[in-house]
Amino acid sequence: MEFPVKTANPVKTETPCLVIPVFKDGDLLPAAAKIDDASECLIQQLIERGDFNAKLGNVQMIPFAPGLPADRLLLVGLGERAKCQEGAFCKAVDAAFAHLAQMSIDAAAVTLTDVPVPDRDAGWKAHKIAESALRASYRFTQFKSEPAPAPSLAEVTLLISEGDDTDAATLGARHGRAVGDGINLARTLGNLPGNVCTPRYLAAEAERLASESAGALTTEILDEEALEALGAHSLLSVGRGSEEPSRLIVMRYNGADDANESPHVLVGKGITFDTGGISLKPGAGMDEMKFDMCGAASVFGTVASVLAIKPKINLVAIVASAENMPDGRATKPGDIIQTLKGLSVEVLNTDAEGRLVLCDALTYAERFTPASVVDIATLTGAAIIALGHHATGLLSNDDDLALDLLDAGETAWDRAWHLPLWDEYQEQLDSNFADLANIGGRPAGTITAGCFLSRFATQYPWAHLDVAGTAWNSGSQKGATGRPVGLLTRYLLDREDELRDTTIEGE
Ligand code: BES
Ligand code: MN
Ligand code: ZN
């Protein structure tokens, strides 16, 4: 999809559809006012007659535009002016593109950067517009024999009122497109069924990204033999009951001027199907455990965004992938395994498998002497109980890193919430027979899972994102969301700016 930025007058803009945001109260925004002047007060009349309610997220198609070169108008309700924050803006933009993606038009022009959002500039708005257009146009139809036609929208022109905003909007749209494409890649990997998307499939996906990167991305795939030789017995213990071999997938992107600069490391949980293993899950809704690789999917999506944007940072992306199945050879409750770090773990529940693959990946990350490590995992059902489906759970051994991630989540509008990782919780992992147990009982399940990981993340600033509640939707809208690709990409882009700032200060 293309996102040209223009400072043209909306009244003179030829387009199949002109998108106009409208508040419930107060004056019309600049573009809407111009349209109104040129069309015998069309918009004011529609509002006064009660034919358009500007409630937040309401959209109304006007199939003609008297006196205007646009073929149609799409009015988008913004709700109350005083309540127009990031969340309201994103809701209105998403509603507009959900509608546009249903229409049989190939282009539209939007005046959405007009909408005043406190503390957010035209670049931020352009980013959200491009990202939203791509998310709305996404369809997962590869297993339908007669798929509905794909959305035809191919070009969204951003009409800017202030000429000064052109550069910011152009850059914002470029980033938004990269993130939107990254989100959609993560959604596709998440939506693929477990019989297609296996650990080997994810390894092939890494190789595909590398081969299409013109040398910007390199990969290394560790197979079971290599993992055995390395001593990653914890990762291997999870896939022991599966016919599908496990993989540790490593992708490297060196964008910094100094190739030796410490990289930021992402680690994704890639359980391509989680039956629970011998601690078998109940049958109802078990199909959704194909989404248990959504942490890994978000790592792939973020790598794709980074490859499109090419920030000057070094990045290592690691995916720890296995299928968790019950079998005669599967790990059993009570089994004791030896991790790559050397700590022994008593596996009291084979369904707490995510932490078992992640702990070896976190130890593997030490070799890169990382500037930061962020793992992303659909780790605990308890995260859904604590935070529902809106916030990603965040735990960290470093408050600065936690704040950077919270801030990135606010900017990307892909928010996380900080939970405590206090020492008091650690004793829930005490084991009578090994160095630690892999479960900490029912209280604070998300925190004790974080505690488990923290025992392995001792050599660098580290944070854990539990996306169990945010990585996919259930019910009639069942499907992967692509979260937290937005948060992660923003976090990495901010690290580039941070570097630039410190270099300037040092000069
Ligand atoms: N993948 C699940 C977590 C999960 C469950 C995410 C449901 C989203 C929805 C994870 O591997 C798991 O099974 N965790 C257990 C941990 C427990 C055994 C300590 C859980 O949350 O029940
Ligand atoms: Mn599990
Ligand atoms: Zn799992």
Side-chain angles (χ1 to χ4, degrees):
M1 198 174 303
E2 298 297 323
F3 299 97
V5 174
K6 290 188 185 146
T7 46
N9 184 345
V11 171
K12 298 196 174 124
T13 300
E14 263 180 63
T15 172
C17 187
L18 184 60
V19 177
I20 304 163
V22 182
F23 278 119
K24 230 176 147 48
D25 49 354
D27 297 337
L28 292 177
L29 290 167
K34 284 182 195 151
I35 301 286
D36 216 41
D37 285 346
S39 65
E40 295 174 18
C41 301
L42 176 67
I43 300 174
Q44 285 291 9
Q45 283 192 62
L46 288 168
I47 294 171
E48 276 161 26
R49 287 201 216 156
D51 287 333
F52 176 62
N53 177 356
K55 198 177 112 181
L56 177 60
N58 261 7
V59 292
Q60 169 102 43
M61 240 277 292
I62 314 295
F64 57 90
L68 300 172
D71 299 337
R72 307 168 186 79
L73 302 178
L74 186 74
L75 303 183
V76 186
L78 292 170
E80 289 170 45
R81 194 173 276 261
K83 289 189 184 160
C84 190
Q85 313 285 359
E86 291 94 333
F89 179 80
C90 292
K91 190 171 173 181
V93 172
D94 283 352
F97 283 110
H99 198 93
L100 290 168
Q102 302 284 353
M103 292 166 61
S104 53
I105 53 171
D106 56 6
V110 302
T111 60
L112 293 159
T113 46
D114 270 4
V115 179
V117 182
D119 303 324
R120 300 300 182 190
D121 62 8
W124 182 89
K125 289 177 233 175
H127 180 124
K128 296 312 293 178
I129 290 165
E131 183 198 312
S132 176
L134 286 161
R135 277 192 285 100
S137 300
Y138 174 84
R139 299 289 182 273
F140 183 75
T141 55
Q142 64 188 87
F143 297 97
K144 299 271 194 192
S145 22
E146 288 178 17
S152 48
L153 191 66
E155 185 187 80
V156 176
T157 302
L158 279 66
L159 292 179
I160 308 285
S161 293
E162 306 278 340
D164 293 356
D165 288 340
T166 311
D167 289 351
T170 305
L171 185 68
R174 186 176 148 243
H175 287 179
R177 173 155 83 169
V179 170
D181 285 337
I183 286 172
N184 287 345
L185 171 64
R187 289 165 83 185
T188 293
L189 293 173
N191 289 336
L192 284 170
N195 61 333
V196 173
C197 184
T198 59
R200 284 179 293 177
Y201 183 97
L202 290 179
E205 185 63 18
E207 279 167 347
R208 182 186 71 83
L209 282 174
S211 72
E212 292 173 8
S213 74
L217 189 77
T218 57
T219 53
E220 192 184 347
I221 314 288
L222 281 75
D223 64 10
E224 291 197 332
E225 203 185 330
L227 290 167
E228 196 69 57
L230 183 69
H233 304 296
S234 186
L235 196 168
L236 286 169
S237 77
V238 174
R240 192 129 290 153
S242 172
E243 295 290 318
E244 289 294 336
S246 304
R247 293 286 184 265
L248 187 76
I249 303 161
V250 185
M251 293 167 268
R252 300 198 66 169
Y253 162 82
N254 276 345
D257 291 330
D258 178 358
N260 293 321
E261 189 179 287
S262 296
H264 295 281
V265 178
L266 302 179
V267 178
K269 170 179 172 182
I271 300 297
T272 58
F273 196 82
D274 181 13
T275 64
I278 297 298
S279 312
L280 194 64
K281 287 183 179 295
M286 205 208 270
D287 66 291
E288 296 194 8
M289 282 299 114
K290 72 171 184 177
F291 294 120
D292 212 18
M293 39 59 70
C294 280
S298 76
V299 169
F300 283 108
T302 304
V303 166
S305 307
V306 164
L307 288 172
I309 298 172
K310 299 257 160 55
K312 290 191 170 192
I313 56 160
N314 291 338
L315 172 68
V316 178
I318 305 175
V319 165
S321 190
E323 184 183 65
N324 187 21
M325 295 285 275
D327 175 74
R329 272 180 295 272
T331 301
K332 303 171 293 299
D335 285 1
I336 295 176
I337 54 170
Q338 211 62 37
T339 62
L340 179 56
K341 199 175 182 69
L343 291 171
S344 62
V345 174
E346 185 183 13
V347 180
L348 290 174
N349 189 322
T350 64
D351 199 9
E353 84 298 338
R355 61 199 80 181
L356 296 178
V357 299
L358 289 172
C359 69
D360 281 351
L362 289 171
T363 304
Y364 192 80
E366 287 178 7
R367 68 183 57 209
F368 302 110
T369 54
S372 72
V373 177
V374 179
D375 77 72
I376 310 95
T378 49
L379 207 60
T380 63
I384 309 175
I385 305 303
L387 299 168
H389 299 286
H390 301 293
T392 292
L394 163 65
L395 297 110
S396 179
N397 64 10
D398 184 293
D399 283 342
D400 291 327
L401 174 57
L403 283 174
D404 286 339
L405 288 163
L406 288 172
D407 190 49
E410 292 283 333
T411 301
W413 209 246
D414 179 5
R415 291 178 296 174
W417 194 256
H418 196 175
L419 299 171
L421 195 71
W422 295 332
D423 288 343
E424 285 82 347
Y425 293 101
Q426 291 282 356
E427 63 195 47
Q428 286 179 238
L429 295 172
D430 288 353
S431 159
N432 284 0
F433 303 108
D435 295 332
L436 73 166
N438 79 326
I439 54 170
R442 271 175 65 79
T446 303
I447 295 174
T448 55
C451 286
F452 182 94
L453 297 176
S454 74
R455 305 280 186 104
F456 298 85
T458 54
Q459 303 298 310
Y460 39 69
W462 156 82
H464 160 60
L465 295 171
D466 194 329
V467 292
T470 52
W472 76 90
N473 296 317
S474 305
S476 69
Q477 297 303 306
K478 192 189 286 181
T481 61
R483 289 180 69 181
V485 170
L487 180 160
L488 293 170
T489 306
R490 186 70 257 162
Y491 168 73
L492 293 171
L493 295 182
D494 287 347
R495 304 288 68 73
E496 179 187 30
D497 296 343
E498 183 178 77
L499 267 176
R500 188 184 306 128
D501 294 348
T502 45
T503 330
I504 292 165
E505 274 166 32
E507 272 169 4

